[in-house]
Amino acid sequence: MKAFKILIMILAISVALYEQVSEEKNIYIMIIAIVVFMFGMMQLSAKTPSKHNDKEE
């Protein structure tokens, strides 16, 4: 599942970069691609443990 999320995020960023360099920029496609990338980053970083948990114990 993690590999699938990373693949979707890479696809979203590549679509956003492609739209950025094209002649006719579609802002809605860029916004959707960035939102998908940010959502994927949020999902992946939610499983990273906080370094402040060890200090409280």
Side-chain angles (χ1 to χ4, degrees):
M1 191 67 173
K2 182 179 174 182
F4 180 70
K5 288 179 184 177
I6 292 173
L7 181 66
I8 294 295
M9 289 171 33
I10 290 172
L11 181 67
I13 288 300
S14 59
V15 166
L17 289 175
Y18 177 75
E19 280 296 318
Q20 183 69 27
V21 298
S22 66
E23 286 291 322
E24 294 182 20
K25 295 173 177 57
N26 191 342
I27 192 73
Y28 298 113
I29 292 176
M30 288 176 54
I31 289 173
I32 290 170
I34 292 172
V35 166
V36 167
F37 177 75
M38 289 300 197
F39 183 73
M41 285 300 293
M42 182 182 70
Q43 293 272 323
L44 288 176
S45 66
K47 297 183 184 208
T48 305
S50 175
K51 60 183 173 181
H52 298 294
N53 288 344
D54 294 337
K55 293 180 182 178
E56 291 177 3
E57 293 177 3

